[in-house]
């Protein structure tokens, strides 16, 4: 049971109602995470706007979802792990690729570098060094892409914290967190 009330999308009007309609259009339903955040119109606008902005970014949906599962696993966020595994599959990643990303691994060197960096940012609480950034550049990422990776990390920390702190019920097919 969620620690905060999950908003009923049918009872919400105005700008928040319009955002929930957009979310429903994108998912075919309003996932519980958005229902939890919708009690704050500013938080919902921030979250949904970030998903939209990053969804049209240069990294692509597949890499964004791989970053998301790596971070979700580090933060023990079963909700985000389930949601982003499903979304990663929808973006063209195989089940094996998503499982590898959950462990912070990829057979693609560029993806592997992005995942390693994302995990380092989370585990070191952003206290990464020049070598961490240089590894991204060596893998072929430019400054804009590196900043976009950081934006994905920040968004996923926000969603992980919402779902873990508020015990938002998972409404995507479950995926097992790695044993630590």
């Amino acid at each position: 049971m969620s620690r905060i009330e999950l908003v009923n999308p049918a009872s919400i009007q105005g700008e928040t109602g319009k955002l929930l309609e957009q979310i429903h259009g994108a998912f075919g339903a309003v996932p519980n995470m958005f229902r939890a955040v919708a009690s704050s119109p500013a938080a919902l606008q921030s979250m949904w706007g970030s998903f939209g902005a990053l969804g049209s970014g240069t990294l692509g949906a597949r890499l964004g979802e791989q970053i998301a599962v790596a971070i979700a696993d580090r933060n023990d966020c079963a909700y985000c792990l389930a949601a982003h595994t499903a979304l990663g599959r929808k973006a063209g990643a195989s089940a094996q690729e998503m499982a590898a990303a959950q462990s912070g691994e990829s057979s693609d060197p560029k993806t592997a570098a992005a995942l390693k960096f994302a995990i380092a940012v989370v585990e070191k609480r952003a206290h990464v060094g020049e070598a961490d950034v240089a590894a991204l550049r060596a893998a072929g990422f430019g400054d804009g892409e590196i900043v976009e990776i950081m934006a994905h990390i920040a968004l996923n920390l926000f969603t992980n914290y919402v779902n873990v702190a508020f015990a938002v019920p998972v409404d995507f097919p479950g995926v097992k967190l790695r044993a630590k």
Side-chain angles (χ1 to χ4, degrees), residues 9 11-22 41 44:
S11 68
I12 302 298
Q13 302 290 321
E15 285 302 312
T16 300
K18 289 177 186 174
L19 290 175
L20 292 173
E21 286 175 16
Q22 290 174 15
L44 180 64

Side-chain angles (χ1 to χ4, degrees), residues 85-174:
T85 297
L87 293 170
R89 295 296 312 264
K90 187 176 176 183
S94 69
Q96 295 78 15
E97 288 171 317
M98 293 309 291
Q102 181 182 348
S103 298
E105 301 169 355
S106 174
S107 61
D108 173 62
K110 193 169 183 179
T111 299
L115 296 175
K116 183 177 180 182
F117 180 77
I119 290 167
V121 169
V122 171
E123 290 180 349
K124 296 177 182 180
R125 295 177 29 210
H127 291 277
V128 295
E130 181 59 36
D132 296 301
V133 177
L136 285 175
R137 286 195 180 99
F141 289 104
D143 286 349
E145 293 168 309
I146 293 169
V147 172
E148 194 171 313
I149 290 169
M150 187 63 77
H152 275 276
I153 295 165
L155 173 58
N156 283 285
L157 289 173
F158 176 29
T159 62
N160 287 184
Y161 289 2
V162 162
N163 290 304
V164 172
F166 300 142
V168 176
V170 178
D171 51 355
F172 288 87

Side-chain angles (χ1 to χ4, degrees), residues 32-106:
N32 287 339
M33 176 184 71
F34 293 106
R35 293 178 60 210
V37 174
S39 62
S40 167
L44 180 64
Q45 184 176 26
S46 172
M47 183 182 283
W48 186 240
S50 292
F51 275 114
L54 293 174
S56 63
T58 61
L59 296 180
R62 185 175 174 163
L63 179 54
E65 299 304 340
Q66 289 171 303
I67 291 169
V69 298
I71 294 170
D73 197 78
R74 292 315 172 285
N75 288 323
D76 293 326
C77 184
Y79 190 100
C80 288
L81 181 59
H84 291 290
T85 297
L87 293 170
R89 295 296 312 264
K90 187 176 176 183
S94 69
Q96 295 78 15
E97 288 171 317
M98 293 309 291
Q102 181 182 348
S103 298
E105 301 169 355
S106 174

